[in-house]
Amino acid sequence: MTASASHSPAADTLSYEQAGVNYDLIDPLKVAAQRAAAATAGHLAGHGFSEVPASRGESAYVVDVGPFYLASIVECLGSKALVADEMKALTGKSYYAGIAQDTIAMAVNDLITVGATPLVVQAYWAAGGSDWFADAQRAQALVEGWKKACDVCGVAWGGGETPALAGIVESGRIDLAASCTGIINPKTRLSVGDALGAGDAIVLLSSSGIHANGLSLARKLVERLPQGYLTEIEPGLTYGEALLAPTTLYSPVTEALAKAGVTMHYCANITGHGWRKLLRHPSSLSYRIHSVPAVPPVLKFIQQHAKQDDREAYSTLNMGAGFALFVKAGDAERTVEIAKAQGVDAIVAGVVEASASKQVLIEPINVRFGDDDLQLR
Amino acid sequence: MTASASHSPAADTLSYEQAGVNYDLIDPLKVAAQRAAAATAGHLAGHGFSEVPASRGESAYVVDVGPFYLASIVECLGSKALVADEMKALTGKSYYAGIAQDTIAMAVNDLITVGATPLVVQAYWAAGGSDWFADAQRAQALVEGWKKACDVCGVAWGGGETPALAGIVESGRIDLAASCTGIINPKTRLSVGDALGAGDAIVLLSSSGIHANGLSLARKLVERLPQGYLTEIEPGLTYGEALLAPTTLYSPVTEALAKAGVTMHYCANITGHGWRKLLRHPSSLSYRIHSVPAVPPVLKFIQQHAKQDDREAYSTLNMGAGFALFVKAGDAERTVEIAKAQGVDAIVAGVVEASASKQVLIEPINVRFGDDDLQLR
């Protein structure tokens, strides 16, 4: 449960807030829920266990169950399925195999940030009525894509729920989410930031596109495009197709790193707050970025047409970096090689430095985010 | 992911199928998903683990992680929140504390069927827009009810998701679900039916009312009631209030049984298929019921106004029995006492017998369900 700081965008800039999500209304609930949730941790003692307090506020919740740690999470796809529905109407193609991968990625990519090996995924597919399932091609694509993503991540698909929720979910739509359970084993793999410090290297893993964050903005932008989703962002590639590139699954990289003996000092899944997520760790550290990855064409296109400056774009979208790994400097190059061996491009992007105040400095584009730009806890 | 057999109700009977859920459309997807899910089990071997195959088709998925078993689940509330919304409009009261308990009960009461101790619950609260959270009284009730249910079950509330899903979830509505992770420890607590056999006693734990299953039917029925949800089912108790009685949480009972050394040979959470859930175990056994629990007034009322005969009512609603425990005959009375000590009424209701064909015989009402009446796998 995360809260977002607000921006002051220029007059014709299309910001995330303008795209329809009002965090001012959600945040009080989140704060109340976080407090109530924290007050339940003591129940674990009744079973002989305890929480890892540092995991509160991290992307997954961690419990010490003795021989190893247990990590769990539930994550929502968000509104990306609406793009798939629009594109189906325009092209006749089903994009739900990719949507399935996106949904699993939302859960798995968060779970691995704490050092967990994902073991079991559960499917939550809540349709707006039984009719949703009558499109056999779409339903089959969802099943096949879900299985394929499980195969890539080496997780067992345990089961799930496929309710028909007429009156709650809109007719013709589906609310997709995934829960994921994993273990941190050996316990030294726990990654909640204790090891992060000055001198560490920042390795950025490439994204495949917009992933599943920023879609409200991307959908809003369609109104400004004369050909809508069928607008070509480069020859032969429509805006809609490009948006629907499935989210990269990063667990093969984190598992390969563990096997190779590379310790993650910390990591951050770069999602709804763009590069502000690099400020996730509570310590007062400076993150100096000397190299930025190539920006996927669809994100360049969004930035241009939403008339966002670099500061706005990097604070909202992943801009080519889907996942950040913080490792000791001597492990940086090896981390890049291991990621590439798993088919995920990566660069050594920067360095962690001691600092009087928390900040990320993206030198190639001359952008700085300070502590005020991200309140996640 | 369960599938339902269909009925042939009388002409003016209001059946579950008439209430809007068409399983014929959902079942092919469920079968495809079950097959694809089963094919992912081998991935666990890559981590040195294995699934408990008998848990496929059970209410929770179980993995052998060495020192104990890991159980996980995601469950949806269903449409009960729509009743809370209607009643709020009619009475001005917020019923979301109870709705929170219902949601957790859906997950916890399923997880415990495999013998698991629930450890962590994650909240999935997907609203139809940020505006949902602007009703501070309702949001606060949801948080407080969620925490209280966690307190009752002795689980830690790990965190969760509170997305605003305009365009997917209907405006003013919320899609509520819970994921739950637990462990089975010691491993002898695993309950997937191996121990069930002739001579075992059937203990039924009382329900608090309709729980969170059969609500589509209950909501449909309102159209037949002149005063709708405000119709009194007994002096001072409206239909709407009675429907909103929160679902009983059964994990305190199963935990107390384990502490007392009572082994569950099997159990079944009595949900969407009413007493047909007693046929859940795959073996060819006969379940002879000699005593039925008192039927909660709201369920009697539904049966009467939906013009259901006993067969239809017991095949759809819990009719006073929220959870079935199968224990060795010598443990039956003690099981009842332990349940009562946890504040949950219980009766020794019947006995398991060898049989050429699978059936449940509810002698006091002269109803028999056979193998054809429930296809869950």
Side-chain angles (χ1 to χ4, degrees):
Chain A
M1 298 179 187
T2 56
S4 164
S6 58
H7 288 260
S8 303
D12 61 346
T13 300
L14 188 58
S15 75
Y16 198 71
E17 282 68 23
Q18 285 169 290
V21 180
N22 183 347
Y23 285 105
D24 291 341
L25 291 178
I26 309 178
D27 286 349
L29 170 90
K30 286 186 175 172
V31 170
Q34 283 164 348
R35 277 192 197 140
T40 62
H43 296 316
L44 294 168
H47 310 293
F49 304 134
S50 60
E51 74 171 12
V52 173
S55 73
R56 291 246 172 233
E58 289 298 326
S59 297
Y61 183 63
V62 183
V63 174
D64 187 343
V65 291
F68 38 70
Y69 297 108
L70 193 64
S72 62
I73 196 166
V74 67
E75 284 291 326
C76 175
L77 170 66
S79 65
K80 191 165 179 175
L82 294 175
V83 180
D85 293 345
E86 291 292 321
M87 283 295 286
K88 162 85 183 206
L90 293 169
T91 68
K93 283 176 64 179
S94 178
Y95 296 85
Y96 270 80
I99 288 295
Q101 176 173 330
D102 286 313
T103 309
I104 291 186
M106 293 299 279
V108 164
N109 291 349
D110 262 4
L111 191 88
I112 60 175
T113 60
V114 292
T117 301
L119 291 182
V120 179
V121 161
Q122 303 277 356
Y124 183 73
W125 302 346
S130 327
D131 288 351
W132 196 92
F133 301 101
D135 179 342
Q137 183 206 23
R138 178 175 59 185
Q140 198 54 37
L142 180 60
V143 169
E144 283 169 12
W146 198 272
K147 171 165 187 305
K148 198 177 145 208
C150 289
D151 292 342
V152 170
C153 297
V155 300
W157 177 1
E161 275 270 275
T162 56
L165 293 182
I168 295 174
V169 174
E170 294 210 5
S171 177
R173 304 298 184 188
I174 193 161
D175 180 18
L176 295 168
S179 74
C180 188
T181 302
I183 63 171
I184 300 165
N185 184 29
K187 289 171 100 170
T188 49
R189 277 187 65 181
L190 179 69
S191 158
V192 287
D194 315 33
L196 184 70
D200 283 346
I202 303 167
V203 173
L204 296 177
L205 305 184
S206 69
S207 70
S208 56
I210 195 170
H211 286 182
N213 289 96
L215 270 299
S216 297
L217 170 68
R219 291 189 299 113
K220 188 85 184 160
L221 188 61
V222 166
E223 298 165 13
R224 293 192 181 182
L225 306 175
Q227 289 184 270
Y229 284 113
L230 297 183
T231 306
E232 289 198 338
I233 65 166
E234 57 185 39
L237 180 64
T238 65
Y239 180 56
E241 287 272 355
L243 285 176
L244 288 165
T247 306
T248 306
L249 297 158
Y250 296 112
S251 71
V253 175
T254 51
E255 286 305 296
L257 288 171
K259 280 206 180 76
V262 174
T263 304
M264 305 189 306
H265 285 185
Y266 193 60
C267 33
N269 185 18
I270 298 178
T271 54
H273 302 82
W275 284 45
R276 290 181 287 158
K277 275 279 166 71
L278 295 174
L279 293 166
R280 178 152 206 140
H281 193 277
S283 291
S284 179
L285 290 165
S286 180
Y287 306 91
R288 185 181 299 271
I289 305 293
H290 52 68
S291 306
V292 294
V295 181
V298 69
L299 300 183
K300 254 187 208 155
F301 182 89
I302 291 172
Q303 178 181 8
Q304 182 194 336
H305 289 266
K307 299 188 180 170
Q308 294 186 338
D309 60 19
D310 281 342
R311 184 182 167 78
E312 178 79 13
Y314 278 77
S315 75
T316 308
L317 303 165
N318 69 60
M319 299 307 274
F323 199 88
L325 287 162
F326 303 81
V327 296
K328 70 176 179 202
D331 282 337
E333 285 301 340
R334 232 172 118 221
T335 299
V336 168
E337 281 159 30
I338 289 167
K340 287 182 175 174
Q342 295 297 322
V344 176
D345 207 4
I347 59 168
V348 182
V351 63
V352 181
E353 296 175 349
S355 176
S357 67
K358 204 168 159 177
Q359 60 176 0
V360 54
L361 298 167
I362 314 175
E363 293 179 338
I365 55 169
N366 198 26
V367 165
R368 175 188 178 276
F369 296 122
D371 204 6
D372 292 346
D373 291 309
L374 184 74
Q375 261 99 45
L376 284 174
R377 288 161 199 265
Chain B
M1 297 176 188
T2 58
S4 166
S6 59
H7 288 260
S8 304
D12 62 345
T13 300
L14 188 58
S15 74
Y16 198 71
E17 282 68 22
Q18 285 169 289
V21 180
N22 183 347
Y23 284 105
D24 291 342
L25 291 178
I26 308 178
D27 285 350
L29 170 90
K30 285 185 174 173
V31 170
Q34 283 163 349
R35 278 192 197 141
T40 62
H43 295 316
L44 294 168
H47 310 293
F49 304 133
S50 61
E51 74 171 11
V52 173
S55 73
R56 290 248 171 231
E58 290 297 326
S59 297
Y61 182 64
V62 183
V63 174
D64 187 343
V65 291
F68 39 69
Y69 297 108
L70 193 64
S72 62
I73 197 166
V74 67
E75 285 291 326
C76 175
L77 170 65
S79 65
K80 192 166 179 174
L82 294 176
V83 180
D85 294 344
E86 291 293 320
M87 284 295 287
K88 162 84 184 208
L90 293 168
T91 69
K93 281 175 63 179
S94 177
Y95 296 85
Y96 270 80
I99 288 294
Q101 177 172 330
D102 287 312
T103 309
I104 290 186
M106 293 300 278
V108 164
N109 290 349
D110 262 4
L111 190 88
I112 60 176
T113 61
V114 293
T117 300
L119 291 182
V120 178
V121 161
Q122 302 278 355
Y124 183 74
W125 303 346
S130 328
D131 287 352
W132 196 92
F133 302 101
D135 179 342
Q137 184 206 22
R138 179 174 59 184
Q140 197 56 35
L142 181 60
V143 170
E144 283 169 12
W146 197 273
K147 172 167 187 303
K148 198 177 145 208
C150 289
D151 291 343
V152 170
C153 296
V155 299
W157 177 2
E161 275 269 277
T162 56
L165 293 183
I168 295 175
V169 174
E170 294 212 5
S171 177
R173 304 298 183 188
I174 191 160
D175 179 18
L176 295 168
S179 74
C180 188
T181 301
I183 64 170
I184 300 166
N185 184 30
K187 288 171 101 170
T188 50
R189 277 189 65 181
L190 179 68
S191 159
V192 288
D194 316 35
L196 184 69
D200 284 346
I202 304 166
V203 173
L204 295 177
L205 305 185
S206 69
S207 71
S208 57
I210 196 169
H211 286 183
N213 288 98
L215 269 298
S216 297
L217 171 67
R219 291 189 299 114
K220 188 85 182 159
L221 188 60
V222 166
E223 297 165 15
R224 293 193 181 181
L225 305 175
Q227 289 184 271
Y229 284 113
L230 297 183
T231 306
E232 289 199 340
I233 64 166
E234 58 184 38
L237 180 63
T238 65
Y239 180 56
E241 287 271 355
L243 285 176
L244 289 166
T247 307
T248 306
L249 297 157
Y250 295 112
S251 71
V253 176
T254 52
E255 286 304 295
L257 288 171
K259 280 207 179 77
V262 174
T263 304
M264 305 189 306
H265 285 185
Y266 194 60
C267 33
N269 185 18
I270 299 179
T271 53
H273 302 81
W275 285 45
R276 290 181 285 159
K277 275 279 166 72
L278 294 175
L279 292 166
R280 177 151 207 142
H281 192 278
S283 292
S284 180
L285 289 166
S286 179
Y287 305 92
R288 184 180 299 273
I289 304 292
H290 52 66
S291 306
V292 295
V295 181
V298 69
L299 300 183
K300 256 187 206 154
F301 181 89
I302 291 172
Q303 179 180 7
Q304 182 194 337
H305 289 267
K307 299 189 179 169
Q308 294 187 337
D309 59 19
D310 281 342
R311 185 183 165 76
E312 178 78 13
Y314 278 77
S315 76
T316 307
L317 302 166
N318 70 59
M319 299 309 274
F323 199 87
L325 287 162
F326 303 81
V327 295
K328 71 177 179 200
D331 282 338
E333 286 301 340
R334 233 172 117 222
T335 299
V336 168
E337 283 159 28
I338 289 166
K340 286 182 176 175
Q342 296 297 322
V344 177
D345 207 3
I347 59 167
V348 182
V351 63
V352 181
E353 297 175 348
S355 176
S357 67
K358 203 168 159 178
Q359 60 176 358
V360 55
L361 298 168
I362 314 175
E363 293 181 338
I365 54 168
N366 198 26
V367 165
R368 175 188 179 277
F369 297 122
D371 204 7
D372 292 347
D373 292 309
L374 185 74
Q375 261 99 45
L376 284 173
R377 286 159 200 270

